């Protein structure tokens, strides 16, 4: 088995670069120099960053290297879509143990490339260092294509709360893995390779969405971010939620990592076909309720403090 120490840093970089999309018209100077130079036709740059830590965000015995590559890219692209923008490029940095298989890193790069391909996203550069725990850092850039960004702070009383994408699927897959009885299911695939509705973000922006964000930590937890930023109260109607067969309501309300999008639209405004109404915005102190009542139990995931 070939390990990273056998090929060295620059040998591994060459292996990774051979698998990644590196060039596009906006890449005036692509990966290979000390820094990339990217054109920004819109005049504004949308950017976000995320980390994945082995043992916290993924386990090698639960997810393949390709799965992790898909996930690393997807969770970042979703943040760009949540602003109403389109992802265009990313920076990829890795912390890797020297004794891990080169094949794992190559397969990881294949996963990143596969997630980039349908969107035309390129990898503009990054970094690599030796460490004890696999750590993946992705910084993504995007374009608003002339639109105004859709912020968390724009929701107003009377707005409809709508969602695009799946809720609770990743949480259900994680529970199967944790229980040691994974089998084969769509829930497992959703946990290993989230499938955010990228096109729904720009679609919502064009339709006049007043606020929007990515559901990464749980619907209720992330709606509270919107409620606080907008200074409003939000009520979710549980009868309107997209509860797929085999899911529980708590998974749909509090499960994270599906990277659905949630947005608000003014009363009477047309809601794009891929969006589904699930609640209403009200005047009042920032709060999120379900069927008019506070939710008992954790609202979602938090890295620090009480869950």
């Amino acid at each position: 088995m070939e390990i990273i120490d056998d090929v060295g840093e620059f040998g591994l970089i060459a292996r990774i670069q051979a698998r990644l999309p590196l060039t596009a018209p906006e890449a005036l100077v692509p990966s290979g120099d000390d820094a990339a130079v990217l054109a920004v036709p819109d005049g504004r740059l949308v950017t976000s960053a995320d980390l994945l830590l082995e043992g916290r965000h993924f386990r090698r015995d639960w997810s393949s290297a390709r799965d992790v590559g898909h996930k690393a890219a997807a969770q970042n692209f979703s943040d760009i879509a949540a602003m109403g923008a389109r992802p265009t490029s990313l920076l990829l940095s890795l912390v890797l143990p020297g004794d891990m298989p080169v094949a794992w890193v190559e397969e990881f790069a294949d996963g990143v490339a596969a997630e980039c391909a349908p969107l035309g996203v390129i990898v503009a550069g990054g970094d690599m260092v030796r460490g004890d725990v696999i750590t993946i850092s992705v910084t993504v850039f995007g374009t608003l294509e002339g639109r105004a960004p859709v912020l968390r702070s724009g929701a107003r009383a009377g707005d409809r709360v709508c969602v695009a994408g799946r809720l609770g699927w990743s949480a259900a897959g994680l529970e199967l893995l944790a229980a040691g009885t994974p089998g084969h299911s769509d829930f497992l695939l959703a946990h290993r390779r989230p499938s955010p509705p990228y096109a729904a973000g720009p679609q919502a922006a064009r339709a006049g969405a007043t606020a929007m964000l990515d559901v990464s930590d749980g619907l209720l937890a992330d709606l509270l971010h919107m409620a606080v930023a907008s200074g409003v109260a939000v009520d979710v109607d549980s009868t309107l939620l997209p509860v797929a067969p085999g899911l529980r309501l708590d998974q749909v309300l509090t499960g994270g990592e599906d990277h659905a999008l949630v947005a608000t639209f003014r009363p009477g405004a047309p809601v794009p076909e891929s969006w589904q109404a699930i609640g209403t915005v009200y005047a009042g102190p920032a709060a999120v309720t379900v069927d008019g009542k506070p939710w008992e139990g954790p609202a979602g995931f938090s890295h620090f403090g009480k869950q």
Side-chain angles (χ1 to χ4, degrees), residues 20-31 36-38 77 87-92 112 116-117 119-125 139-141:
L20 295 175
L22 302 176
T23 60
E26 63 266 24
L28 306 180
V29 178
S31 176
V37 179
L38 305 174
F77 296 163
T88 57
S89 58
L90 64 84
L91 301 176
L92 175 63
V112 173
C116 289
L119 301 174
V121 175
I122 65 165
V123 178
T139 301
V140 63
F141 305 103

Side-chain angles (χ1 to χ4, degrees), residues 191-235:
H191 174 70
R192 289 168 170 151
R193 299 186 187 185
S195 183
Y198 300 128
Q203 184 185 48
R206 290 191 293 268
T210 54
M212 184 161 50
L213 48 66
D214 159 73
V215 182
S216 55
D217 295 324
L219 177 65
L220 298 184
D222 287 313
L223 275 175
L224 184 58
H225 297 320
M226 180 184 288
V228 170
S230 298
V232 296
V234 175
D235 185 62

Side-chain angles (χ1 to χ4, degrees), residues 39-62:
V40 187
D42 180 84
R44 298 166 297 173
L45 189 65
V46 186
T47 186
S48 182
D50 246 323
L51 289 169
L52 283 87
L53 180 67
E54 183 180 14
R56 171 60 64 178
H57 300 101
F58 68 92
R59 285 175 44 169
R60 278 188 272 173
D61 57 334
W62 285 0

